[in-house]
Amino acid sequence: EVLSGVLGIGKVISDKVDFEFAKESQIYALGNEEAMKEAVSKARSEHDSVGAVVLSVAKGVPAGLGEPLYDRLDSALAAALMGINGVKAVEIGAGVNVSSMLGSANNDEMDELGFLSNNAGGILGGISSGAEIVLKSHFKPTPSIFKEQKTLNLRGEAVDFELRGRHDPCIGIRGSVVATAMIRLVLADMLLINASTKLENLKKIYG
């Protein structure tokens, strides 16, 4: 199962992670829906736009999907999410926070019941670990805004311009749905690739 929701819009971050709430939310918010709506409305009223971060979780993914180099699961997921228009960064597990952590804190220890934490975000060495796969997609503010901006015309001259017409103040809201679809496609591909990783699997398929 793959679930996504808007974790934050601008500087407004959700106070919870509730995917059931997101399913009923007009903006797929995981929480703090009204504050997020206000952030979007404020940007719109000022003829501006605002960025957003989408949290996605894949549950029940079997261990062993992906490879340690060419078909890494983390690389494939990151490439698919970065392929969505407007995504400028993708985090897996603890993401950018790992750069400020010690190995003793970042390592996911295990006991007889499984992992005690999930800083790796369900992927170790490019291969799914069986833990939940946790991803964040960071969407930039929509570049097409109605505020006066500077650019160059076809003759290379500096000019001021203002856009007219359609305006989407936050593309990250729609991005939540797209992120879910892209993750599902990658996982489906990885399941198919995994089906041929062992000779006995090939024999089952081809007889």
Side-chain angles (χ1 to χ4, degrees), residues 21-127:
F21 182 86
K23 290 177 182 178
E24 303 299 324
S25 168
Q26 288 183 326
I27 58 171
Y28 306 105
L30 293 166
N32 275 19
E33 180 180 28
E34 292 308 314
M36 289 188 194
K37 284 182 178 179
E38 287 178 12
V40 175
S41 296
K42 184 175 186 296
R44 181 191 287 112
S45 67
E46 295 174 351
H47 302 300
D48 216 330
S49 60
V50 64
V53 56
V54 170
L55 173 67
S56 302
V57 175
K59 300 181 178 183
V61 178
L65 299 188
E67 296 180 4
L69 185 55
Y70 297 111
D71 286 310
R72 293 178 61 97
L73 179 56
D74 46 5
S75 298
L77 287 167
L81 292 172
M82 284 295 292
I84 301 172
N85 288 339
V87 172
K88 302 303 291 183
V90 175
E91 294 185 82
I92 301 174
V96 297
N97 292 327
V98 300
S99 62
S100 61
M101 297 171 70
L102 295 173
S104 55
N106 181 60
N107 290 342
D108 295 317
E109 296 185 74
M110 300 180 72
D111 63 15
E112 62 276 5
L113 298 177
F115 290 100
L116 301 177
S117 58
N118 192 22
N119 290 314
I123 304 173
L124 290 166
I127 301 172

Side-chain angles (χ1 to χ4, degrees), residues 8-24:
I9 292 179
K11 296 182 179 180
V12 180
I13 303 300
S14 176
D15 55 353
K16 60 183 177 181
V17 174
D18 188 339
F19 290 106
E20 291 303 315
F21 182 86
K23 290 177 182 178
E24 303 299 324

Side-chain angles (χ1 to χ4, degrees), residues 135-146:
L135 303 142
K136 288 179 185 175
S137 306
H138 296 264
F139 288 79
K140 70 179 181 180
T142 318
S144 54
I145 59 176
F146 294 159

